[in-house]
Amino acid sequence: MALVQGGHVSAGEWADALGSAIRRAQAAGDPDDGSTYYGHVLDALEAVVADKALTTRDALFARKEAWRAAYASTPHGRPVELGRSGSSRNSSEGAVPSLNRPATPRPEAEFRR
């Protein structure tokens, strides 16, 4: 993982974060059959970069929304591309439309799923 190789997070911190994400999911009824592992990795990654102040939760949310918009505006068979500013290069207007972004910040528990 680039964050470990870049010295931003230790291997132990990453293992702890991933373990915590898995335990939270299991406590919430996760089927623990491997089908949700990617979601646990993503939850752990989001928590680590926010906890280490490598980004903010608002920036993570905005980037996810930009990817959703880019995906939605990309014609079938074309690669999904996201510009440096976060805008879709495939969008006809060149701007990222809002995808039901909440008017107020979401609680921590809602952010994860």
Side-chain angles (χ1 to χ4, degrees):
M1 170 179 272
L3 292 174
V4 173
Q5 292 171 344
H8 300 286
V9 178
S10 73
E13 289 171 319
W14 173 247
D16 290 344
L18 181 56
S20 293
I22 292 170
R23 284 189 296 280
R24 279 192 307 274
Q26 289 173 338
D30 184 78
D32 197 20
D33 61 5
S35 66
T36 56
Y37 183 75
Y38 172 79
H40 306 326
V41 171
L42 184 57
D43 289 345
L45 179 59
E46 289 176 347
V48 165
V49 298
D51 291 347
K52 293 281 196 173
L54 299 173
T55 191
T56 65
R57 295 201 185 273
D58 286 344
L60 284 172
F61 181 80
R63 193 68 167 176
K64 283 198 255 184
E65 291 301 306
W67 272 109
R68 285 184 188 114
Y71 177 79
S73 67
T74 299
H76 180 72
R78 302 268 322 263
V80 178
E81 297 180 13
L82 194 67
R84 284 184 172 258
S85 67
S87 64
S88 167
R89 290 196 266 173
N90 295 321
S91 175
S92 58
E93 288 107 31
V96 177
S98 172
L99 297 177
N100 300 321
R101 181 177 173 124
T104 57
R106 295 182 298 165
E108 175 69 22
E110 188 179 352
F111 176 80
R112 296 213 182 266
R113 292 252 183 201

